[in-house]
C-alpha cells in the first residue's frame, strides 16, 4: 500500500488529512495523484466513494 508520504504530498496537506482521520490513500488516489502532480490528463472511472475528487489535490500542493 502506498502512503501519502510516498506520494510526496505537502506536509501541511498530510497533517490536514490526518486531522480528518484520512491516513492512507485509496487505490484510485494511489494510482492517480503522481500523474496529476505531473500535469497528466486522466480519465478515471471508479465507484462512488473511491476518492476520485480527493485525488485532485494539486492546487493544495502549492506552498
Amino acid at each position: 500500500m502506498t502512503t501519502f508520504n510516498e506520494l510526496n504530498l505537502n506536509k501541511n496537506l498530510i497533517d490536514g488529512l490526518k486531522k480528518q482521520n484520512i491516513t492512507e490513500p485509496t487505490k484510485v488516489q494511489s494510482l492517480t495523484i503522481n500523474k496529476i502532480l505531473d500535469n497528466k490528463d486522466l480519465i478515471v472511472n471508479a465507484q462512488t466513494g473511491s476518492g476520485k475528487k480527493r485525488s485532485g489535490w494539486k492546487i493544495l500542493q502549492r506552498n
Side-chain angles (χ1 to χ4, degrees), residues 38-56:
D38 287 339
N39 291 319
K40 305 284 184 194
D41 292 331
L42 298 172
I43 296 174
V44 178
N45 184 9
Q47 185 174 0
T48 299
S50 63
K52 294 181 297 291
K53 287 182 187 171
R54 288 188 174 162
S55 294

Side-chain angles (χ1 to χ4, degrees), residues 7-63:
L7 294 173
N8 296 316
L9 292 179
N10 179 295
K11 183 186 179 319
N12 291 328
L13 181 55
I14 293 171
D15 290 344
L17 292 169
K18 286 179 185 176
K19 287 179 183 176
Q20 296 179 53
N21 294 319
I22 301 170
T23 57
E24 54 188 42
T26 65
K27 182 176 180 181
V28 140
Q29 293 163 349
S30 294
L31 295 170
T32 60
I33 288 173
N34 280 332
K35 290 175 176 61
I36 291 167
L37 295 176
D38 287 339
N39 291 319
K40 305 284 184 194
D41 292 331
L42 298 172
I43 296 174
V44 178
N45 184 9
Q47 185 174 0
T48 299
S50 63
K52 294 181 297 291
K53 287 182 187 171
R54 288 188 174 162
S55 294
W57 287 321
K58 180 177 181 173
I59 196 164
L60 299 174
Q61 268 292 106
R62 298 183 182 154
N63 292 328

